[in-house]
Amino acid sequence: MTLPRHIPVRIREDLVKLMLQIAKNAHPRECILLLRGEKKRDGIYVEEVLIPPMPIVDEYSAIFNPYLLPMDFSIIGLFHSHPSGDLHPSIEDLNHFYGMIMMIAAYPYESEADIAVFNSKGEKLQLYVL
């Protein structure tokens, strides 16, 4: 089921800074993180980030085997970086969508303006940094 475009995504500023720093440290390779949180009446809340088990990353992709994850219904999506600077999901991103949302950080990873969040159709969702 695709999340409607009007559902806002909320995340704390400290998590945004952490994700941007992880993306900077991984550059020029991509990075990948799991997003833990919950869906509430007034939107999606991202509360924590996790490193997936045994991620495989290079300059063009970041993947992990979802079968290595324990059953955890609090994982609501993925975060990954785009060293190319493109802030849009690729076909490969959408084909490997996991959870309710996908967050992408694009080079130069300087601020929340370098992050976007999407639903499984690749439609941009509103991101609120708390």
Side-chain angles (χ1 to χ4, degrees):
M1 181 167 150
T2 299
L3 199 62
R5 290 172 55 172
H6 70 275
I7 301 290
V9 177
R10 294 175 169 80
I11 186 169
R12 294 188 326 264
E13 183 179 16
D14 63 315
L15 285 179
V16 169
K17 288 180 179 178
L18 174 64
M19 293 186 305
L20 290 170
Q21 189 60 53
I22 290 171
K24 275 185 188 182
N25 291 346
H27 191 81
R29 296 181 320 257
E30 287 195 15
C31 72
I32 189 166
L33 298 169
L34 302 170
L35 302 173
R36 181 179 273 167
E38 62 182 317
K39 182 179 180 202
K40 296 183 180 180
R41 287 177 162 264
D42 61 339
I44 302 289
Y45 286 80
V46 178
E47 299 165 351
E48 190 176 13
V49 295
L50 306 168
I51 298 171
M54 299 172 49
I56 300 170
V57 297
D58 61 26
E59 291 84 5
Y60 309 105
S61 65
I63 60 171
F64 74 99
N65 184 343
Y67 296 109
L68 296 176
L69 292 176
M71 189 173 293
D72 184 348
F73 296 109
S74 68
I75 295 174
I76 58 170
L78 294 176
F79 165 86
H80 72 280
S81 62
H82 279 180
S84 67
D86 185 5
L87 199 51
H88 299 90
S90 67
I91 295 297
E92 291 80 15
D93 291 339
L94 295 174
N95 285 338
H96 294 97
F97 198 92
Y98 186 85
M100 291 184 273
I101 60 172
M102 174 190 306
M103 294 181 84
I104 298 173
Y107 180 82
Y109 323 114
E110 292 295 328
S111 71
E112 65 185 72
D114 296 324
I115 295 180
V117 61
F118 302 90
N119 66 16
S120 62
K121 289 184 179 177
E123 299 168 331
K124 190 172 183 178
L125 304 174
Q126 188 65 41
L127 180 64
Y128 294 95
V129 179
L130 310 172

